Amino acid sequence: ADIAMYEAKKNGKGNYRFFQPHFRDAVLQKLNSEIDIRRAIEHDEFEMHYQPRVDISTMQASSLEALVRWNHPDRGLVSPLEFIPLAEATGLILPLGELIIQKVCRQISEWSTHGNLLLPVSINVSPRQFNESDILFLFRSNLERHGLNPKLVQIEITESVMMQESSRSLDMLPALRDMGIKLCLDDFGTGYSSLSQLQKIQFDVLKIDRSFTSEVEKPEGRALIASMVTMAQALGLKVVAEGVETSGQLQILRELGCDEAQGYYFSKPVPAAKLPGIAADLRRQDRTATG
Ligand code: C2E
Ligand code: MG
Ligand code: MG
Ligand code: MG
């Protein structure tokens, strides 16, 4: 029924479409995918990859973003773009989101006991997780289980989380921040009423969406990012450019005073086991960039 609703919403009110064969196929396909996601949660087929965020002035990794992948038995690694929207529509994001918090906290705890790489990790959290799960309890209990410092965990949310007027997230976000968890506003610039939302919640980090970064070498794109950096810094936020792919982009971001950068130029998201190698690569790039 959830899936039928999802399709019906997507297609507006033309309910007769429900009886069209291609529509039924789409529903069946989504139903199959829903069953597939459920099974994948039970069989532990989801794994986290990590992508560094790099401090532009030191060229050192300052934190990591956790990004989920589905290690599908037939299809190999499946992108979250393929299953997160369906998980959100069906509510499966609730068990999946809980699993992701558990996995990331366990990973941070492993890093802290082996002591080789201890950086804060940011976790993407969907709107439904604020409204329909006890997000405070989830973070508190997982931090406690591993004895983790809350400073090691950050949360990434998009502007859509704050769009619903009655959203519980408006209460939850300050409470999470009081626990010591940093709040990052993700995909900044792609939502509506960005500026008024920014006054509602005290964020720590503003992540400029990749669609702006990719234009930074053009004069208008540069002007847009310059104004975002100025605004973020006036509000006391750290500013991160997402999707940095070239040294040319990085150079301009540095000139504009952007604090951090994240993107394929430094590293794609990789499994935890590959991260120490990445730290070494960043140091190599640092030498080529500065000398
Ligand atoms: P996001 O949180 O904005 O994550 C950034 C996306 O940009 C990631 O895609 C990352 O791999 C990709 N990216 C990073 N650098 C570059 C670059 O230089 N060039 C290009 N072309 N892409 C780059 P990914 O991993 O496919 O994730 C897509 C989206 O899926 C995420 O966007 C986020 O909204 C969602 N997502 C991923 N993992 C999770 C999760 O654990 N929970 C939830 N709720 N959503 C997640
Ligand atoms: Mg993110
Ligand atoms: Mg983003
Ligand atoms: Mg995104």
Side-chain angles (χ1 to χ4, degrees):
D2 276 344
I3 290 180
M5 281 295 294
Y6 175 59
E7 282 301 320
K9 269 194 229 149
K10 270 201 337 201
N11 292 322
K13 285 199 172 153
N15 286 340
Y16 60 93
R17 296 198 57 176
F18 196 84
F19 303 103
Q20 289 178 5
H22 74 268
F23 179 72
R24 191 198 53 202
D25 289 348
V27 170
L28 283 178
Q29 203 202 327
K30 289 238 158 54
L31 200 56
N32 277 331
S33 320
E34 181 179 359
I35 293 167
D36 235 22
I37 296 178
R38 261 184 223 289
R39 185 192 46 78
I41 293 174
E42 277 159 26
H43 291 205
D44 198 22
E45 288 171 11
F46 292 100
E47 61 180 55
M48 305 313 293
H49 285 203
Y50 297 88
Q51 186 183 35
R53 230 163 74 192
V54 177
D55 182 321
I56 294 180
S57 55
T58 64
M59 291 290 276
Q60 303 286 323
S62 60
S63 65
L64 303 167
E65 178 174 7
L67 294 154
V68 68
R69 272 91 183 91
W70 182 355
N71 196 353
H72 194 284
D74 307 323
R75 300 174 59 204
L77 279 190
V78 179
S79 155
L81 296 173
E82 278 195 46
F83 59 87
I84 290 285
L86 184 69
E88 282 171 350
T90 55
L92 284 170
I93 194 66
L94 301 174
L96 180 56
E98 183 170 348
L99 197 66
I100 287 168
I101 295 168
Q102 283 169 4
K103 280 183 184 291
V104 173
C105 288
R106 193 182 314 129
Q107 182 63 65
I108 300 174
S109 155
E110 252 169 59
W111 280 326
S112 63
T113 41
H114 295 103
N116 41 5
L117 185 81
L118 201 53
L119 296 171
V121 182
S122 66
I123 302 178
N124 291 281
V125 180
S126 294
R128 283 186 81 157
Q129 293 181 262
F130 287 98
N131 292 318
E132 296 168 58
S133 68
D134 191 345
I135 196 81
L136 270 186
F137 172 78
L138 278 181
F139 276 99
R140 191 177 290 123
S141 58
N142 277 287
L143 287 171
E144 271 170 13
R145 175 175 312 143
H146 300 288
L148 296 181
N149 186 332
K151 286 195 165 57
L152 290 172
V153 174
Q154 306 188 352
I155 290 177
E156 296 197 9
I157 61 156
T158 58
E159 290 157 70
S160 62
V161 169
M162 293 173 300
M163 292 300 283
Q164 314 110 305
E165 217 28 73
S166 67
S167 173
R168 288 217 309 151
S169 48
L170 293 180
D171 302 324
M172 293 300 123
L173 287 168
L176 286 161
R177 195 163 184 271
D178 286 344
M179 278 171 61
I181 294 177
K182 287 209 165 80
L183 307 180
C184 313
L185 185 53
D186 202 357
D187 302 349
F188 182 73
T190 61
Y192 298 100
S193 64
S194 322
L195 297 177
S196 65
Q197 303 300 340
L198 265 182
Q199 292 192 307
K200 282 198 198 166
I201 302 285
Q202 178 63 57
F203 284 94
D204 300 284
V205 177
L206 187 138
K207 300 187 78 174
I208 298 175
D209 191 67
R210 173 161 59 88
S211 58
F212 297 96
T213 305
S214 64
E215 302 290 311
V216 74
E217 283 167 291
K218 299 177 190 159
E220 313 81 44
R222 181 187 173 118
L224 269 180
I225 294 206
S227 65
M228 292 187 199
V229 170
T230 303
M231 183 203 62
Q233 289 174 346
L235 293 171
L237 308 185
K238 192 154 263 187
V239 55
V240 185
E242 298 193 88
V244 175
E245 295 185 349
T246 69
S247 60
Q249 292 168 349
L250 178 65
Q251 186 48 44
I252 296 174
L253 292 165
R254 180 181 281 129
E255 285 167 23
L256 296 179
C258 186
D259 299 299
E260 298 184 356
Q262 181 178 352
Y264 294 172
Y265 177 66
F266 304 101
S267 167
K268 292 200 167 181
V270 293
K274 295 228 171 113
L275 275 168
I278 282 186
D281 284 345
L282 285 175
R283 280 192 293 276
R284 260 196 300 284
Q285 274 188 354
D286 188 23
R287 281 201 296 276
T288 50
T290 53

